[in-house]
Structures are given as C-alpha cells and as structure tokens.
Amino acid sequence: MTPALHAILKAPPQRLGLFRAAVGAFLVLYLAARAPLDVMTSAHSTAQFAPVGLPAWLGSDAPLPLPLVVLAYAVTLLAALAFTAGLHFNIMGPLCAVGTLWVTSYKSSWGMVFHTENLLTLQVLLLSCSPAAQAVSMDARQGRASWLRSVPSGWPLLACCLVTIVAYLLAGIAKVKLSGFDFMTGEVLRVQVAYDNLRKIEFGSAHAPWGVWAVGVPGLFPALGTLTLLAELGGVCALIHPRLALLWAVLVVGFHVGVLALMAITFAYPLSTVPFLCFFSLERLAPIQWLASKAEDRTPGL
Amino acid sequence: MRFTPAQLLYAAIAGSLLTLSSLPALSDPRDDNYPFSTYPMFASRRKTPTFYKAEGRNAHGQWQPIPPELFGTHEVMQAVMTVQRAARSPRDARKLCEDLARAEPNRYGKMRIVQVTYDPVKYFTEGPTPQSRKVLAQCGRRSRAHESRQKVQAR
C-alpha cells in the first residue's frame, strides 16, 4: 500500500468529520449565495425544459411551479446546515444529498449542463451515507451514533479522493479524445480562450481582459495546454504520496485560477480547495488542533 | 476478514457512484449528462465557430447584444444555449424573438436573432469583422421615423 493510501485509509473519525464540515460549509454558502439566481432560472419557458439528473430519472417533463422550486431550495439549504453541523445526520445527511442533487440537476435542466457542481454533488452524496458525523458534530456531542458507525472513516475519504481524481481524469480523456495530444501545443486552448471571450462580448456579458491579452501571445499556450493535461490526467499520482497529492492539488487549483483569469469562468468549489482536503491529515493542522483543544475544554464531544 | 452489513452497504453505494462517475470515459465526450459528466468543456477543436445571438435596436438605432438577464438568467452560457436551440428552426427563432420583445418592450424598438461566423483569434488580433452574418428572425415595433424613411424610399 502506498503512503498516501495508508494515510487516507487509517484516517481517524475527526478527519472525516472535519472534511464533512468543510464540504457542508461550502455547500451552505454556495446555496445561499446562488439562491436568487438559481430560483430565477425556473422562470424560463416550459419549452426550454430539458431535464437531466434527478428530474430526468424521475420522469419529470415539465418545470415545477415557482413555490415548489423555492421550497425545494429552502429545504436543501436547511438540510445543508444540518449536514455541516452534523445534526441528526442519519436523516439529514441523505436529505441534504438528495436536495443538492435535485437543486443542481434542476439548474442544469434548461439546455445547458453546467460542470461547476458535479464534484460538490458527488462528494456530498458519498459523505451523506457515511459515518461522517461520528466526530466534529452535534450528533457526537449529543451522543447520537451513526447507523453506519462500523464503516471505517477512511472509506468515505478514499471514495471522495477517487471521485475527485475521476472527475479530472474524465476532463483530460475528453480533451485527448476530441483534440488529441495536440492539445499540448496550446492552439486548441488559445482558440478556446478566444472563443469564450468572444461569445461573452457578443452577448454583452463580462469577459476576461487577461484572456483577450493572452490570445495575442501565442507562445504562452503550449505551457498552459501541457499543464492543463498534466493536472487532469495526473490525479492518480495523488494516491502515491501525500506530497504528490499536495503538488497535484496546487496544480489543479492553479488551473482553475487560470480558467478564471483567462475566461472569467468561476469553478468555485475547486477554487475553494475544499474538494482536495480529503487527501490530507486535516486533524494535524495546527489551527484545527487548537480549535479541537478549545472544544474539548468545553465538552468531550470533539 | 468479515464485513458488517453497514460496511457492505457503504461499499455498494460508494462503488456504484464511483462506477457511474467513471463510465462516461467509455462514451462520446459530446454525450454530456449530469451529475455523471464527460466534462467536455474546453476540449473541442474550434475553427470558425458559428454564433447565434439576439440583438436589440436601441433608441439611437444601434444594434446591441441582448444581455442574459432578458433570457431569465445571469448565466451567459444558458442564454447562448437558448438562442442556439431556437436557431434550429425559423419558427422557434421567430418565437424567441417575440418572447424577448415582449419581455422588454420599451428598451429596444426591434429585436433580431442572428447567425454570425467569426474566426475567434482574428477577432482579437485583427478586428471584430464577421466572416458571415445572417438574420434568422426579426420582430418588434417599427419606429415612426423608420416607417417614414421607408415611405420616402418607396416614392
């Protein structure tokens, strides 16, 4: 077994609890920030409704009335708060996962499938049916046990690591399938950057001035193309050693910073670094240990 | 080594999710879905892409791009996809044009759905001249000035 796999699989419940709290906190902030925009999306005409994800699996062929859209969003947000706090997690965890899947699927059910929420949704799904509230949670403080407490804490963490690696690997495979390894020459990426900014300008939307500048510097793109493919195809290395995991996470976050700078596209979840926390021994970080010791002074729950 | 029912249940759920997440690797990257995506963004080789966009003519007679908000979204990509889908048939293009005109009757005198082809790199390096341009649908009220201009031209 590699050092990275060993470290992940032997994770204590505190690490899983900390990761759940981090994912949940991001989810709460994200849902709260996006609520007006996402609810407004449902004002599209019925003709534009093209269900994907949960609405498609449920056979839904028409949009929901606005009050139901708002209700689903509100329930998901409340469930996400409980998910973050680890409160009644046996019930609220799965409810939060189903709600997140519904809300994000519904947003992508109007002709444009977004790629900014897949990883968040999949990690929430993997955590929701795990013993992620055995520590660092209200359930632990109040003595409520998880129905899945016999599942080792490392399993959900490894599953979250794998789903993260797979997401980027698929993006890399799509590039190789559609553009070949020529992607590394940078021309495909240069045209993409130009295309994306042109589309935004033509639609009267905010574009990325750095992207417009970069299109005029073709020598920049071979390095960017190569780094992009390295970041996307190299995720498996993160399972070899924790230092390689750190290197990969930095590379991927850097890739998303580049996408933001050159195309004004925000992948908020990876930019927050939260999805990569499952690769690391969070409980050993000095601020976390300090917080844990403070919490232990007050209650033995943490 | 014996596994508990809870461990077997978690292994089945996580295994299924991971398998479903990985399966798109075997399909065409253009067959995208949610949440099990092929992640095809930024992957295609684009040469001279065709854009479909909605334009409105303001009080000064200038054609301007219609912002995503008029499509009921803040997401530019969602607005792009809406126009792209409508552009498939003249009837749908006309209907979208009329819907947009109804949504903001006072802001633009006229609206139109256009198909434009650009070379994206040349757009920024040489100037925003389209390679081709075609109006797919046009709608909205006619301004009095425009009508009288047309009458004069007819005479």
Side-chain angles (χ1 to χ4, degrees), chain A residues 117-276:
Chain A
E117 288 146 1
N118 306 56
L119 188 53
L120 173 64
T121 304
L122 291 169
Q123 287 194 338
V124 169
L125 283 168
L126 286 167
L127 290 172
S128 66
C129 52
S130 80
Q134 285 286 86
V136 199
S137 66
M138 296 299 287
D139 280 356
R141 281 190 178 197
Q142 295 166 1
R144 271 187 298 272
S146 167
W147 293 337
L148 296 167
R149 58 189 170 276
S150 64
V151 174
S153 300
W155 289 17
L157 286 168
L158 180 61
C160 287
C161 292
L162 288 174
V163 88
T164 308
I165 291 169
V166 165
Y168 285 96
L169 189 62
L170 286 171
I173 289 172
K175 286 182 182 64
V176 173
K177 275 187 179 177
L178 293 175
S179 300
F181 280 97
D182 282 356
F183 194 88
M184 295 166 91
T185 64
E187 197 47 33
V188 176
L189 193 58
R190 184 178 175 224
V191 177
Q192 279 288 348
V193 169
Y195 173 79
D196 197 78
N197 282 298
L198 161 56
R199 187 164 53 186
K200 284 173 178 147
I201 290 169
E202 287 293 306
F203 260 80
S205 178
H207 67 286
W210 285 10
V212 172
W213 167 80
V215 171
V217 189
L220 199 64
F221 286 90
L224 293 178
T226 306
L227 283 172
T228 299
L229 273 192
L230 263 180
E232 292 183 339
L233 299 175
V236 184
C237 298
L239 294 177
I240 297 172
H241 196 280
R243 282 183 190 162
L244 282 173
L246 182 62
L247 187 68
W248 180 67
V250 168
L251 192 60
V252 175
V253 174
F255 158 74
H256 285 292
V257 171
V259 169
L260 178 63
L262 299 183
M263 292 190 258
I265 299 173
T266 312
F267 283 82
Y269 191 47
L271 279 170
S272 74
T273 70
V274 170
F276 309 102

Side-chain angles (χ1 to χ4, degrees), chain B residues 96-108:
Chain B
L96 176 66
C97 187
E98 284 165 358
D99 286 349
L100 289 168
R102 259 196 303 276
E104 194 83 25
N106 298 323
R107 192 161 160 192
Y108 302 107

